[in-house]
Amino acid sequence: MNPQNAASTTPRSWEASPPPGRGVGGLVRYVVAAALARTADGGAVVAVVLLVTSSGGSGTLAGVLGACITAPHLLGPFVARTLDLARDGRKVIAAACLLYATALTAGVLTYGHSPVALTALLLATVGACGPLLTGGISSRLPAIVGPELRTQRRAQGWDVATYGIGGTVGPSLVAALSGWVSPTAAALALALGAATAAGGVLLLPLTPPSHGGDRAAILKPGATLALIARTGRLRRTVYLTMVVALSVAALPITAVHLTKILGIEPATAALLTAAYGLGNLTGSIAVMTLPLTGAPDRLMRRLALGVVAGLLTVTVSPAFAVSVAAYALTGILNSFFFASTLAARTEYAPSGARGQVFIWVAALKITSGSAGTALAGSLTGVSVRLPLVVGLLAVSVAVAAATAETRFARADEKDS
């Protein structure tokens, strides 16, 4: 079977044998477990940076140890195969949550009392588990909520919300606990959340393994990446996701510098980033209430253009109030776009590689976002708004490429 056909028939592969406990109860347990896991993942880097700097460590050391958590996300696809091979994927994810909690606890407790190399190794272990707490958990959602398309799309809105909660509550919790107690206490609280998430994952409905007993049918990581590269709809999902992630990563960096142009206090930059986070949560609520309709391939292109519109609004904002609204609007549009990418991964990934596809896309998205942050930091030295302009142009080019690719594919189908 050709990969495109395999992807198009994916939902039916698990529709025939629904797992017990599926539905609203399963979704509630999913949201709780995912929110806890992603709050831990969202706050870990901030906790480590604060731990190092508050104890007199250099900014360079803080950056290196923070990178020990983010960089290993690229190893996620190689870990992900165990998820597709497992008879019970819940145990794999729960084990990752427990290892995450243990390694984070050991990492922060050994800092300053053991060689830095040991702390770095423990934090790298944390980072290697991260993809299973993000894309790995998301790969469980389709089978939990059932095959009905509208239900899937609404559930994807909940999934987007858990990412928004993780990205907002995680750093906020760390900042609060670091001020009230210590960065070590904040990191330990995150570890406790990850360990609790392990119990929540085990309470999810059991999903029958996608390989149906034929473990040889599960693709290896390299073969999965090759599948993504040659399958048009998955390929477009990857590069649109990466380019949008790179572009919106400029927003927090730009917020700090925009305050100088707008003539306001630098501390108010936090209001801009908070508006973006609130926009993300608002968008996810909107997707829950009014699920996206239409083919994910088309939705991604249209919603990516929506992100372009949001970035353009931020770029031309003449006043602080307008900038706050523009940041919130961009957050809403980005959450819509993210929901469309989850739909694409769900509906286009073949069943034997769904976990790996989810984690490949998540890993590449995180990497691209990190690159976007670094790029924005360098470009703001030239012009404050330059990172935004580069971002919106990059997304526009990616959408144009995806549109052209889709039209050529349709023309080839007609010719054949």
Side-chain angles (χ1 to χ4, degrees):
M1 180 182 292
N2 135 351
Q4 198 78 9
N5 292 337
S8 65
T9 59
T10 296
R12 294 176 187 169
S13 65
W14 45 266
E15 183 177 351
S17 55
R22 192 172 66 185
V24 175
L27 178 60
V28 170
R29 293 194 291 275
Y30 175 90
V31 169
V32 172
L36 284 170
R38 288 159 185 168
T39 295
D41 197 49
V45 173
V46 179
V48 168
V49 169
L50 288 176
L51 173 66
V52 174
T53 55
S54 65
S55 61
S58 67
T60 300
L61 178 60
V64 168
L65 292 181
C68 285
I69 295 178
T70 56
H73 277 73
L74 274 177
L75 299 175
F78 301 93
V79 177
R81 191 165 184 260
T82 60
L83 191 56
D84 284 326
L85 284 170
R87 294 180 61 185
D88 186 349
R90 299 174 305 175
K91 294 180 180 178
V92 175
I93 298 172
C97 290
L98 289 175
L99 181 56
Y100 188 104
T102 303
L104 182 59
T105 299
V108 298
L109 292 180
T110 58
Y111 176 73
H113 305 285
S114 300
V116 172
L118 176 60
T119 301
L121 180 61
L122 289 167
L123 294 179
T125 303
V126 171
C129 295
L132 287 173
L133 276 63
T134 52
I137 294 180
S138 288
S139 71
R140 305 290 95 186
L141 185 59
I144 291 173
V145 300
E148 205 274 315
L149 186 60
R150 184 176 175 83
T151 304
Q152 284 185 29
R153 299 283 176 87
R154 179 175 285 114
Q156 285 153 6
W158 282 102
D159 205 22
V160 173
T162 66
Y163 280 99
I165 290 168
T168 305
V169 174
S172 300
L173 178 65
V174 167
L177 285 177
S178 295
W180 295 336
V181 190
S182 69
T184 299
L188 294 178
L190 296 179
L192 178 61
T196 306
V201 168
L202 291 175
L203 292 176
L204 297 177
L206 174 63
T207 303
S210 58
H211 53 70
D214 182 13
R215 293 164 64 90
I218 301 300
L219 299 177
K220 293 183 178 180
T224 302
L225 185 60
L227 169 68
I228 293 172
R230 68 174 181 264
T231 305
R233 292 180 295 187
L234 290 176
R235 181 173 61 248
R236 291 188 285 276
T237 299
V238 168
Y239 68 70
L240 285 171
T241 298
M242 290 180 67
V243 173
V244 170
L246 182 144
S247 301
V248 299
L251 290 171
I253 304 295
T254 306
V256 176
H257 296 279
L258 278 178
T259 57
K260 300 175 185 176
I261 294 179
L262 298 173
I264 53 179
E265 292 296 323
T268 55
L271 292 177
L272 293 175
T273 55
Y276 176 75
L278 183 60
N280 266 299
L281 289 175
T282 302
S284 62
I285 293 171
V287 175
M288 296 175 211
T289 309
L290 298 171
L292 299 175
T293 58
D297 202 16
R298 184 182 302 112
L299 281 170
M300 285 189 297
R301 297 196 303 273
R302 292 178 176 177
L303 293 170
L305 287 178
V307 174
V308 169
L311 292 173
L312 180 61
T313 306
V314 173
T315 303
V316 300
S317 296
F320 180 68
V322 179
S323 295
V324 171
Y327 265 75
L329 173 64
T330 307
I332 292 171
L333 293 168
N334 187 50
S335 68
F336 287 168
F337 171 77
F338 183 33
S340 72
T341 68
L342 290 174
R345 286 182 251 178
T346 299
E347 296 171 34
Y348 299 150
S351 59
R354 181 176 291 122
Q356 293 185 74
V357 168
F358 264 87
I359 292 178
W360 262 118
V361 177
L364 293 171
K365 177 184 177 182
I366 289 171
T367 303
S368 187
S370 298
T373 301
L375 180 64
S378 61
L379 292 179
T380 49
V382 179
S383 170
V384 172
R385 292 187 170 93
L386 184 57
L388 299 172
V389 174
V390 170
L392 65 90
L393 289 176
V395 177
S396 300
V397 170
V399 172
T403 302
E405 189 182 328
T406 303
R407 289 178 179 173
F408 283 133
R410 289 174 183 166
D412 288 342
E413 289 175 6
K414 290 179 181 179
D415 292 340
S416 60

